[in-house]
């Protein structure tokens, strides 16, 4: 079963973004660097049309350092897009963001033509964290903008640079089954929308080949990478359950508990720096799902 996720409130968000977008020069979309394809929202492209876009691969500190450059190249090869990687530990991300926006809209700048930027991203991608960092760095004024929604904020990053927070929530739109599993594993989807054991099994089915050494380092299974890859994901989850003491009375393994453990380890990066998709894999999933 693929992940089913139909959150409400999209209608008002769609309307509010539609109203705001005409006065926007550049759209910043925050993506999770651990799933840079699946964490984008295709609805945003529909709503923002031809506006230039900066894709921020956030949380790059916990993403696979070998894969992030592949994704940056993939996005940078697209017309009207600039991609940069960021992480919460970076003390001053503002300069790189501002530079990327100016590169996309060089006609804007100066008090008469301030740069107007909208920042968007699905829940849990790190938008509040980034906005707080930006606000502190620039002693930004934040406040409600009348007229659109009560929650919309305008942050002044410089006298000629305004950043608007997205009004409402931009939920992930899951049209690709593999993206659904990865979004659920990363924590971007509500907990009641999926079965943890099923998501953990999909996760292990993916991890066991490229990330077998990380699984061994964390769970001390006593297996070579080839042996881990050769296991079925059910066997792998069971082995992890036994190693981590997720065993019920009578010696039966508690797969639900093991599933929770694996996902907590992924989300907290205790498992290591992992990226759950490459551009080539993501493109193949898109093609498959279009063919369905
Ligand atoms: P929002 O829902 O998009 O506003 O996400 P938050 O800003 O609340 O962040 C969600 C979680 O991700 C929080 O636990 C943050 O501490 C964490 N987070 C945000 N940015 C980063 C980052 O760059 N690296 C890491 N490792 N964690 C981050």
């Amino acid at each position: 079963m693929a992940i089913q996720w139909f959150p409400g409130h999209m209608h008002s968000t769609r309307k509010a973004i539609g109203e705001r977008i005409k006065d926007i020069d550049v759209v910043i979309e925050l993506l999770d660097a651990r799933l840079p394809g699946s964490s984008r929202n295709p609805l945003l492209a529909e709503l923002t049309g031809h506006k230039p876009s900066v894709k921020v691969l956030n949380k790059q500190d916990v993403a696979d350092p070998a894969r992030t450059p592949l994704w940056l190249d993939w996005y940078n090869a697209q017309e009207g897009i600039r991609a940069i990687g960021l992480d919460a530990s970076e003390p001053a991300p503002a300069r790189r963001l501002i530079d990327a926006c100016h590169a996309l809209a060089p006609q804007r700048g100066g008090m008469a033509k301030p740069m107007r930027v909208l920042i968007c991203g699905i829940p849990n991608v790190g938008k509040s964290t980034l906005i707080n960092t930006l606000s502190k760095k620039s002693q930004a004024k934040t406040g409600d903008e009348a007229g659109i929604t009560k929650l919309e904020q305008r942050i002044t990053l410089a006298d000629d640079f305004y950043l608007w927070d997205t009004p409402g929530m931009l939920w992930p739109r899951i049209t690709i089954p593999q993206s659904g599993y990865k979004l659920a594993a990363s924590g971007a989807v509500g907990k009641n929308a999926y079965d943890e054991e099923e998501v953990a099994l999909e996760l292990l089915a993916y991890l066991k080949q490229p990330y077998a050494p990380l699984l061994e380092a964390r769970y001390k299974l006593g297996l070579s990478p080839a042996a881990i890859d050769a296991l079925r994901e059910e066997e792998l989850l069971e082995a992890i359950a036994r190693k981590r003491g997720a065993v019920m009375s009578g010696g039966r393994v508690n797969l639900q508990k093991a599933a929770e453990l694996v996902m907590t380890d992924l989300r907290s990066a205790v498992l290591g720096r992992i990226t759950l998709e490459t551009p080539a894999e993501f493109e193949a999933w898109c093609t498959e799902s279009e063919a369905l």
Side-chain angles (χ1 to χ4, degrees), residues 11-274:
H11 183 69
S12 55
T13 303
R14 183 192 290 249
K15 190 160 169 274
I17 293 180
E19 279 168 26
R20 167 60 62 205
I21 197 67
K22 23 184 205 306
D23 303 323
I24 290 296
D25 303 305
V26 175
V27 176
I28 296 177
E29 184 175 19
L30 240 69
L31 302 170
D32 186 333
R34 298 167 306 170
L35 45 161
S38 296
S39 58
R40 68 181 184 172
N41 189 317
L43 178 67
L44 189 63
E46 277 170 38
L47 287 173
T48 58
H50 53 278
K51 298 280 178 183
S53 177
V54 177
K55 305 290 181 196
V56 174
L57 272 62
N58 196 41
K59 306 193 185 182
Q60 76 168 350
D61 55 315
V62 289
D64 184 338
R67 290 186 171 190
T68 300
L70 303 178
W71 278 105
L72 293 174
D73 289 350
W74 190 76
Y75 276 116
N76 280 322
Q78 296 175 30
E79 179 86 25
I81 290 183
R82 289 233 158 187
I84 59 173
L86 284 186
D87 65 70
S89 59
E90 191 167 341
R95 190 68 253 162
R96 288 207 294 138
L97 261 186
I98 289 176
D99 287 349
C101 293
H102 279 302
L104 284 168
Q107 76 283 10
R108 301 294 304 188
M111 304 288 265
K113 283 198 227 158
M115 177 76 75
R116 298 153 309 171
V117 171
L118 178 71
I119 185 162
C120 311
I122 63 171
N124 209 34
V125 75
K127 190 158 67 86
S128 316
T129 307
L130 180 63
I131 288 175
N132 285 342
T133 314
L134 294 173
S135 309
K136 273 185 223 123
K137 287 292 155 201
S138 58
Q139 272 103 46
K141 295 165 228 126
T142 65
D144 291 341
E145 276 283 302
I148 304 295
T149 79
K150 256 185 141 179
L151 292 172
E152 191 182 37
Q153 281 194 324
R154 192 185 86 179
I155 298 144
T156 308
L157 286 191
D159 286 340
D160 63 347
F161 198 106
Y162 301 155
L163 184 73
W164 272 273
D165 191 4
T166 337
M169 274 290 189
L170 192 71
W171 297 101
R173 196 164 66 162
I174 299 171
T175 50
I176 300 168
Q178 290 88 342
S179 292
Y181 289 120
K182 286 167 202 313
L183 284 160
S186 77
V189 169
K191 228 179 153 185
N192 53 2
Y194 61 90
D195 177 84
E196 273 167 328
E197 208 176 305
E198 187 189 345
V199 171
L201 287 173
E202 287 289 333
L203 177 65
L204 289 173
Y206 182 80
L207 295 179
K208 71 193 178 89
Q209 200 274 322
Y211 294 113
L214 295 185
L215 291 170
E216 177 56 32
R218 173 66 181 152
Y219 301 115
K220 312 272 185 298
L221 302 168
L223 297 170
S224 68
I228 290 180
D229 188 25
L231 290 178
R232 284 185 298 111
E233 49 273 23
E234 291 83 358
E235 294 167 330
L236 187 50
L237 187 60
E238 194 173 323
I240 291 170
R242 291 201 186 281
K243 277 286 171 183
R244 303 292 299 176
V247 180
M248 297 182 285
S249 59
R252 270 198 319 127
V253 285
N254 186 339
L255 293 178
Q256 168 68 25
K257 186 153 176 230
E260 282 170 25
L261 274 169
V262 171
M263 287 207 285
T264 305
D265 286 352
L266 175 84
R267 290 172 191 170
S268 61
V270 171
L271 254 185
R273 298 181 66 172
I274 285 174

